Amino acid sequence: PGEEITTGVTQYQTHFNVFNVEENLNFSKGSKCKTTDEVLKKNYAVYKKAAARAPGKSFFMVNHPFWHAWDIAPQLLIDNHEITHFEICNNTSVEPVAYALSTEKFWDLVLAHRLANGHKVIYATATDDTHYYWPDSKPAATPDNAWVMVNVPGKLTPDNIGSALALGDFYSSCGVTLDTLKFDGKTLTVAAKPGKGVKYHIEFIVTKKNFDRSITLKKYEFKKSK
């Protein structure tokens, strides 16, 4: 079971998902917060209290940080390091401005700063964000466009799936299935499962050690449509 929470401040929208918490949560609305950072902190605190009461394993996810602008800047997920999951792929969202980071680089930037600070890893999920189920619907909002492949030992119960997701024992996909995915503590080995007539290109996006950790924030100006 899951619930999406929509809130935000001014023009920015902030969306969260909470999974496997068996109660309705009284989340803090954007009108009660002055900044997106405050929205994140207050709503994550509400989730943590509920998670402590939940009988099963739950987790909290920041949805599509780039819904219609960069609603969640990388700095926010660097600072709010208790948050461990965000959406790297959402099939109803696109990166809105040309100068913005790709979502892959967004993820790498947050990871690099967190690891350098000695904080928790942040994991990336993928969803199709299904709104429509009939054949003539917009393809971006229909099923089977993006998902997570979870390594679940034992039965596929909500608790076992939630535990694997919380541990990061999964990968995100919008079509590719991995045949090999292993890490021996030193070497990461990845291979895609072959598909008929398909060629694969695997690219690793990394940040080197001792990188320049200065950050310059650029405010996004909203423009009215003609």
Side-chain angles (χ1 to χ4, degrees), residues 107-185:
W107 185 18
D108 186 63
L109 174 64
V110 176
L111 272 173
H113 280 271
R114 284 198 180 195
L115 293 172
N117 293 337
H119 293 150
K120 294 179 180 178
V121 167
I122 188 166
Y123 300 105
T125 66
T127 63
D128 47 38
D129 201 347
T130 302
H131 286 233
Y132 310 103
Y133 293 89
W134 45 92
D136 58 347
S137 303
K138 297 182 297 182
T142 51
D144 203 29
N145 285 310
W147 56 86
V148 293
M149 298 289 286
V150 189
N151 181 27
V152 182
K155 295 182 178 180
L156 289 176
T157 64
D159 283 355
N160 287 344
I161 295 170
S163 295
L165 286 166
L167 288 172
D169 200 1
F170 70 92
Y171 66 86
S172 299
S173 179
C174 54
V176 175
T177 300
L178 296 183
D179 205 24
T180 303
L181 177 58
K182 60 183 181 179
F183 181 62
D184 61 9

Side-chain angles (χ1 to χ4, degrees), residues 1 13 35 43 45 94 116-117 130 133 147 156 158 165 189 199 208:
Q13 291 191 32
T35 64
N43 285 291
V94 294
N117 293 337
T130 302
Y133 293 89
W147 56 86
L156 289 176
L165 286 166
T189 304
K199 293 182 178 180
K208 294 181 178 180

